[in-house]
Amino acid sequence: MGVAGTGKTTIGPLLADRLGVPYAEGDDFHPAANIAKMSAGTPLTDEDRWPWLDAIGEWARGRTGLGGVVSSSALKRSYRDRLRTAAPDLVFLHLAGERSLIEDRMSHREGHFMPTALLDSQFATLQPLEPDEAGVVVDVAGDPGDITARSVVALAAAGGALPAPTGPPTP
């Protein structure tokens, strides 16, 4: 989870590979109307997000007992609660970082529908994980291999039911 530009689409597949589980790109669950809205620079409403979150929750429920990694901004507690209603054993990895770093990364990516103009609305909406939520926060400073390795360590330290990592640590 995290605001746009934190690396969910980069770290998610690396983490899934490291854990030997499938990865699902959260953006792929958005209806076309949501993508059109965001592409036009219009923030989504909660009503826009509910079907998207329900689709992600359905995927996560299908992975119960098997494991998986799915990316989603999950910026509000209510969004995470909705996902946990579908898949109660979800553990959140909050990719977090300085706004300037995230904006810089967003300005260099190509072919993504989310404009940097919506970053402020993402930060305004963000409700960090609360102590009673299963999850960890990992700083996104550094390269993807570093962030992935720190994510595995943080999730394991938090007692997440993780499969044994496959292969050597991600460089």
Side-chain angles (χ1 to χ4, degrees), residues 135-156:
V136 297
V137 179
V138 172
D139 190 335
V140 297
D143 65 67
D146 224 15
I147 299 164
T148 302
R150 283 187 275 129
S151 297
V152 170
V153 169
L155 288 164

Side-chain angles (χ1 to χ4, degrees), residues 5-164:
T6 55
K8 297 180 299 289
T9 299
T10 300
I11 304 306
L14 293 173
L15 181 60
D17 184 58
R18 183 78 191 280
L19 298 175
V21 298
Y23 169 74
E25 169 55 55
D27 287 342
D28 293 344
F29 293 91
H30 273 298
N34 284 8
I35 292 174
K37 228 177 162 175
M38 289 183 286
S39 295
T42 305
L44 298 179
T45 65
D46 285 353
E47 290 72 30
D48 295 326
R49 287 185 180 92
W50 298 140
W52 171 65
L53 290 165
D54 291 343
I56 291 170
E58 189 70 27
W59 184 89
R61 179 176 38 245
R63 300 302 310 158
T64 299
L66 304 171
V69 174
V70 60
S71 61
S72 166
S73 53
L75 298 176
K76 288 185 180 180
R77 169 74 187 245
S78 61
Y79 304 162
R80 297 187 299 271
D81 288 346
R82 192 166 183 122
L83 291 169
R84 277 191 299 270
T85 296
D89 295 331
L90 276 179
V91 176
F92 291 91
L93 169 62
H94 179 184
L95 297 176
E98 294 295 322
R99 188 195 184 290
S100 58
L101 171 66
I102 295 166
E103 182 176 24
D104 181 62
R105 287 181 179 172
M106 285 181 75
S107 70
H108 290 97
R109 66 184 184 181
E110 296 177 13
H112 196 278
F113 60 83
M114 178 66 88
T116 56
L118 289 181
L119 190 55
D120 286 335
S121 74
Q122 293 251 305
F123 272 106
T125 302
L126 177 63
Q127 295 172 343
L129 288 171
E130 295 179 27
D132 67 324
E133 293 185 89
V136 297
V137 179
V138 172
D139 190 335
V140 297
D143 65 67
D146 224 15
I147 299 164
T148 302
R150 283 187 275 129
S151 297
V152 170
V153 169
L155 288 164
L162 301 176

